[in-house]
């Protein structure tokens, strides 16, 4: 199963200068709870961003895949050069954790979305690519600290 997780504001903003534009402890906890012990896939930019927070600690995932079209060797991650071959052939449950480019490329393969809605607007320069959420069914919904944590699913593609 391919899942995706992200947080966005009312304008679908997700990033600012390769960092999150906000700090919401309840969303960070939610992200950690959903991704702990999971195999995750992210793009090079998001990997660099996460590494700036985890300078001395290992990334808190079971297995880390990093998509990058350049040839690259990572000490703590598996390089995915051919993203579509990977998505079409993997037998693992994969959680896609960003950023914008990788979300856009992976969305057609996703069966499950974990979206945190931030009910205000922030400053930033990276937006989630617009798509039709009606392709998915809402299967879970809760609010916390002014955030909405929603889960959507659709049948395997
Ligand atoms: N709000 C949230 O939940 C959330 C979550 C994660 C990230 N973000 C934000 O998203 C932003 C980063 O997004 P981004 O779009 O700049 O970067 P990104 O998606 O993290 O990384 C893009 C990378 O994808 C690689 N790539 C592109 N096409 C590919 C393909 N077909 N196969 C394999 N690799 C491919 C590119 O490689 P090359 O460099 O070689 O071209 C590039 O390095 C940051 O601001 C971050 O904070 C927000």
């Amino acid at each position: 199963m391919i899942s995706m997780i992200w947080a966005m504001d009312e304008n679908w903003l997700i990033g600012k200068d390769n960092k999150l534009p906000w700090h919401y402890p309840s969303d960070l906890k939610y992200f950690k709870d959903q991704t702990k012990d999971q195999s995750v896939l992210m793009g090079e930019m998001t990997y660099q961003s996460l590494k700036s927070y985890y300078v001395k600690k290992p990334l808190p995932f079971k297995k880390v895949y990093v998509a990058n079209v350049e040839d690259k060797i990572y000490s703590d991650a598996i390089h995915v050069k051919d993203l579509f071959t990977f998505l079409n052939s993997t037998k693992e449950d994969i959680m896609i954790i960003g950023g914008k480019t990788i979300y856009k490329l992976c969305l057609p393969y996703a069966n499950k979305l974990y979206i945190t809605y931030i009910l205000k607007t922030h400053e930033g320069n990276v937006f989630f690519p617009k798509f039709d959420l009606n392709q998915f069914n809402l299967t879970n919904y809760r609010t916390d600290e002014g955030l909405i944590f929603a889960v959507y699913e659709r049948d395997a593609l």
Side-chain angles (χ1 to χ4, degrees):
M1 161 135 65
I2 305 286
S3 306
M4 301 190 15
I5 184 166
W6 74 93
M8 64 183 184
D9 81 357
E10 288 179 344
N11 294 323
W12 291 39
L13 179 77
I14 62 167
K16 180 183 183 186
D17 303 331
N18 209 29
K19 295 220 154 51
L20 292 176
W22 46 68
H23 181 81
Y24 291 106
S26 59
D27 184 53
L28 290 177
K29 179 173 185 320
Y30 183 72
F31 176 81
K32 282 183 182 165
D33 288 347
Q34 301 306 325
T35 56
K36 189 170 172 280
D37 300 326
Q38 300 281 328
S39 293
V40 301
L41 170 78
M42 71 190 100
E44 167 72 15
M45 302 303 290
T46 297
Y47 174 75
Q48 296 300 343
S49 177
L50 263 182
K51 291 292 277 185
S52 72
Y53 296 104
Y54 286 86
V55 179
K56 291 192 176 151
K57 288 188 286 181
L59 295 173
F61 311 115
K62 182 172 82 178
K63 205 191 262 188
V64 179
Y65 294 97
V66 180
N68 191 334
V69 293
E70 310 269 325
D71 281 324
K72 196 138 183 191
I73 294 170
Y74 299 93
S75 60
D76 57 353
I78 298 162
H79 177 213
V80 172
K81 185 167 179 163
D82 186 341
L83 183 61
F84 299 115
T85 298
F86 175 82
L87 291 168
N88 281 315
S89 61
T90 185
K91 301 280 183 275
E92 282 180 88
D93 288 334
I94 301 285
M95 184 78 98
I96 311 291
I97 64 167
K100 173 189 179 163
T101 310
I102 296 307
Y103 287 136
K104 184 171 186 180
L105 295 171
C106 295
L107 185 64
Y109 295 83
N111 313 112
K112 192 166 184 178
L113 309 178
Y114 297 84
I115 306 178
T116 302
Y117 293 102
I118 291 162
L119 303 176
K120 52 167 93 163
T121 58
H122 285 263
E123 297 279 310
N125 56 354
V126 182
F127 295 83
F128 198 94
K130 284 271 162 73
F131 71 101
D132 183 8
L133 253 174
N134 289 323
Q135 306 162 38
F136 293 83
N137 302 309
L138 181 66
T139 55
N140 209 334
Y141 180 99
R142 75 174 168 86
T143 58
D144 188 9
E145 286 182 4
L147 308 179
I148 294 173
F149 297 95
V151 180
Y152 299 83
E153 293 180 62
R154 69 176 168 192
D155 292 338
L157 297 173

